């Protein structure tokens, strides 16, 4: 268990503060948890897909000048159906990755138990390829081979490039679904408000554009918290991606407007 404060280490790196970096490694810190940002990929991509696909529906219907009721029906149908599809996809992909990792680990453990010399020779060759001397490579491998789990861990990374994921398939699926629904509801919020408040017809789309743009920027800025990129640039990048998708949907809806008559 590590005693480094990982959040402080990240902050030190962003500021290039060597003193903070050193203090982040002090033994007095509590052991850090790797849960920070654990589901950030599912949250960001689920939220991004949710808000863009729902707003694409909204923009397409608005481009075709269809009634508000159509926006709400198609929007909520997309929100639930696509949210579930995204969640199932995330669950199955994460589960498949875990199963593949475990199958390869079982094979490496079997090779360790039945042909240790061959495994050691492979690892020595890998270290030689990285530039270590043969003497150093053999010494390192001899030390690693004293512990079965350690040796297999290293072989999984060095030979196969596989890392053990600490993510739960169910956790990923829930994070994706909740993020999809939460962010995907944003473009529909103004339509729901306008529908029950009996506002003018153009109220929904105007405010949907504003709320979606702000949310996309906020989502991009949130991603920057974990990637270390400048928050403004990350927010604008997300806004641009969503804007392109929305313009495409609006344009297609406008071009095909004549089909609905």
């Amino acid at each position: 268990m590590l005693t480094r404060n990982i959040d402080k280490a990240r902050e030190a790196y962003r500021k290039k503060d060597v003193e903070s970096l050193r203090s982040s490694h002090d033994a007095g810190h509590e052991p850090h948890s790797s849960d920070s940002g654990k589901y950030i990929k599912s949250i960001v991509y689920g939220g991004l897909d949710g808000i863009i696909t729902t707003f694409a529906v909204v923009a397409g219907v608005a481009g075709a000048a269809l009634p508000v009721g159509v926006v709400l029906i198609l929007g909520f149908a997309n929100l639930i159906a696509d949210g579930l599809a995204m969640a199932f996809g995330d669950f199955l992909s994460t589960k498949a990755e875990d199963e593949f990792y475990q199958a390869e680990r079982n094979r490496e453990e079997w090779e360790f138990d039945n042909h240790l010399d061959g495994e050691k020779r492979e690892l020595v060759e890998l270290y030689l390829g990285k530039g270590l001397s043969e003497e150093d490579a053999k010494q390192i491998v001899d030390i690693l081979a004293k512990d079965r789990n350690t040796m297999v861990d290293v072989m999984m990374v060095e030979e196969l490039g596989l890392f053990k994921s600490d993510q739960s398939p169910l956790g990923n699926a829930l994070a994706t679904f909740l993020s999809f629904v939460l962010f995907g509801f944003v473009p529909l919020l103004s339509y729901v408000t306008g529908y029950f408040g009996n506002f003018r017809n153009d109220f929904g789309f105007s405010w949907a554009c504003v709320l979606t743009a702000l949310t996309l920027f906020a989502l991009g800025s949130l991603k920057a918290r974990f990637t270390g990129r400048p928050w403004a640039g990350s927010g604008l990048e997300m806004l641009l991606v969503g804007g392109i998708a929305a313009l495409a949907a609006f344009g297609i809806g406008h071009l095909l407007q004549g089909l609905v008559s």
Side-chain angles (χ1 to χ4, degrees):
M1 185 175 290
L2 300 179
T3 57
R4 181 175 60 159
N5 187 316
I6 192 65
D7 291 329
K8 189 170 182 179
R10 288 177 179 141
E11 184 66 21
Y13 172 74
R14 279 194 288 269
K15 295 179 178 180
K16 300 299 185 289
D17 187 340
V18 178
E19 288 302 318
S20 293
L21 173 63
R22 289 171 178 166
S23 65
S24 73
H25 286 76
D26 288 347
H29 291 294
E30 295 181 359
H32 78 80
S33 170
S34 60
D35 288 342
S36 179
K38 183 177 181 179
Y39 296 113
I40 187 62
K41 180 182 177 182
S42 295
I43 292 173
V44 169
Y45 286 106
L48 177 62
D49 195 67
I51 194 170
I52 288 180
T53 56
T54 305
F55 187 68
V57 171
V58 169
V61 174
L66 296 177
V68 172
V70 176
V71 177
L72 294 176
I73 292 172
L74 294 180
F76 279 106
N78 168 82
L79 198 62
I80 301 303
D82 277 8
L84 288 173
M86 284 278 292
F88 290 146
D90 209 345
F91 175 84
L92 292 174
S93 63
T94 304
K95 187 171 182 289
E97 289 176 0
D98 288 347
E99 290 172 348
F100 177 72
Y101 177 91
Q102 190 58 52
E104 289 297 292
R105 185 178 184 88
N106 290 341
R107 180 182 59 79
E108 286 293 339
E109 290 175 346
W110 181 81
E111 291 181 0
F112 179 95
D113 294 336
N114 293 278
H115 190 33
L116 179 57
D117 289 341
E119 289 292 280
K120 291 171 66 175
R121 186 162 56 250
E122 285 182 23
L123 193 52
V124 167
E125 291 172 354
L126 288 170
Y127 284 142
L128 290 176
K130 293 178 180 293
L132 290 180
S133 68
E134 185 172 0
E135 181 182 354
D136 288 343
K138 287 182 177 180
Q139 184 176 4
I140 292 173
V141 172
D142 285 339
I143 294 172
L144 293 174
K146 292 179 180 180
D147 184 81
R148 182 174 183 262
N149 286 332
T150 301
M151 179 72 172
V152 172
D153 285 342
V154 173
M155 291 299 294
M156 291 294 292
V157 175
E158 296 292 354
E159 182 184 9
L160 304 174
L162 296 177
F163 296 84
K164 176 63 176 176
S165 174
D166 62 347
Q167 295 184 352
S168 160
L170 181 58
N172 268 5
L174 287 174
T176 297
F177 179 75
L178 293 176
S179 180
F180 188 100
V181 172
L182 175 64
F183 287 101
F185 179 69
V186 170
L188 297 173
L189 178 60
S190 59
Y191 278 92
V192 173
T193 303
Y195 182 80
F196 288 104
N198 294 318
F199 297 130
R200 63 184 190 277
N201 291 335
D202 62 344
F203 173 86
F205 186 63
S206 301
W207 278 102
C209 292
V210 174
L211 291 175
T212 299
L214 292 174
T215 306
L216 281 169
F217 185 85
L219 192 57
S221 300
L222 172 66
K223 184 181 70 170
R225 167 69 177 80
F226 299 94
T227 61
R229 291 186 56 197
W231 64 270
S234 183
L236 289 173
E237 179 184 63
M238 195 77 81
L239 180 59
L240 178 63
V241 170
I244 292 173
L247 285 173
F250 184 87
I252 292 173
H254 184 71
L255 289 173
L256 301 180
Q257 181 177 1
L259 297 177
V260 184
S261 59

